[in-house]
Each structure stands twice: as C-alpha cells, then as structure tokens.
Amino acid sequence: AALAAATWDQSWVPTDFDTKPPKPQPTGDGALGGQTASFTAPVAGATEQAVYQTVRYNMNGYHLTVPDGTYTVTLQFNEPHYSEAGKRIFGAKIQGRQVLTNLDIFAKVGQNRALDFSFPDIAVTNGVLRIEFTRETEYPCIAGIVIAGKTRAANQLASEPCTRKIN
C-alpha cells in the first residue's frame, strides 16, 4: 500500500514542468536507403536531362523536412535499365496515402523516357514530408522529386512560396 501511495505523490515535479508530450522530431532528411546510378543515354521528354539520367533505386522512401503547408509533389521517373515491361513494378505513398500502384515505367512510356506524376494538395503538418515506396517486382526507382507550394506560419496571414527539388 505504501508503494502504491508513493507512486501517486508527484509533489516533487516542478510547477513549470511541461506535461504535454513532445512533438515528434523529423527522422532525418533525405532518402531512406538505396543506391544511385547514373546513365548517359538521352532521356526523351525530359526538360532537364541530368535529373532523369541519375536515379535512386532500392530505397524505402524519403523523409524531407519542409515547413508546414500545402504542396504539390511531383515524382519524376525514368526506366534506364530494363528494356521490357514487367521487370520493375512498384507503388508509392505520400503522407501515408497510396498515390501509385502497379507502376511499371517501361510499360507506360518505354526505356529512357521521362514520366512525371503530380499530386496536389499534400498537407504537411509536422514539418516532414514522407514519401514511401512499396516493392511489387524488383526495386523501386526514381529520378527526382519536386515539392512546390505555399507554407503557412501560425500567426501570419500571408503565405510564402516554397520550392524544393530532390534527385
């Protein structure tokens, strides 16, 4: 009984002690694993050749630190390795929401061709944009990520533009 009574006595806690749980901190900034590969072949439909000529593959996703706000996230793809459909198939989630399933870049556009998917109205409320890849056949592969949108400060009416390009 004495032990139980002692556990309830919290008079030792300072009155200014913050009892709210801490806000989760970002778990890093950048790719979650994987390797990069660079190619010299021209990429059809690419506005910026260099972005599509380097890909990251075999990664789980990205955690990217951005200000809280609403963004348009563009995932940029190229299939530089395989020359037939069905060799690389994967999916993607942004902020936990499935945005791509059964993506076969070669089946959609062929080898060495740019393929972009834009997803508007992606809300970030904890300072981290999370992109996850789900393996279906072989490793996921991405050439670049473009994050564009407006940030919101808690006590401001105006929004500031924010653009970040990752590859």
Side-chain angles (χ1 to χ4, degrees), residues 123-138:
V124 174
T125 58
N126 64 353
V128 179
L129 175 66
R130 288 179 174 78
I131 301 170
E132 302 168 59
F133 294 100
T134 53
R135 294 178 170 114
E136 294 174 32
T137 302
E138 184 55 85

Side-chain angles (χ1 to χ4, degrees), residues 90-112:
F90 59 95
K93 293 180 183 181
I94 301 177
Q95 298 300 82
R97 181 176 59 115
Q98 192 77 46
V99 294
L100 294 172
T101 57
N102 303 311
L103 177 61
D104 184 335
I105 301 166
F106 186 89
K108 287 232 180 253
V109 295
Q111 188 177 27
N112 292 319

Side-chain angles (χ1 to χ4, degrees), residues 54-120:
T54 299
V55 297
R56 178 170 287 276
Y57 65 97
N58 191 24
M59 73 293 182
N60 294 318
Y62 289 82
H63 286 179
L64 303 169
T65 302
V66 297
D68 288 352
T70 303
Y71 297 93
T72 296
V73 177
T74 302
L75 303 179
Q76 300 173 311
F77 299 101
N78 173 32
E79 177 52 73
H81 183 70
Y82 292 113
S83 57
E84 62 182 286
K87 294 292 187 177
R88 183 190 316 269
I89 303 170
F90 59 95
K93 293 180 183 181
I94 301 177
Q95 298 300 82
R97 181 176 59 115
Q98 192 77 46
V99 294
L100 294 172
T101 57
N102 303 311
L103 177 61
D104 184 335
I105 301 166
F106 186 89
K108 287 232 180 253
V109 295
Q111 188 177 27
N112 292 319
R113 294 185 172 276
L115 177 63
D116 294 357
F117 292 96
S118 291
F119 305 97

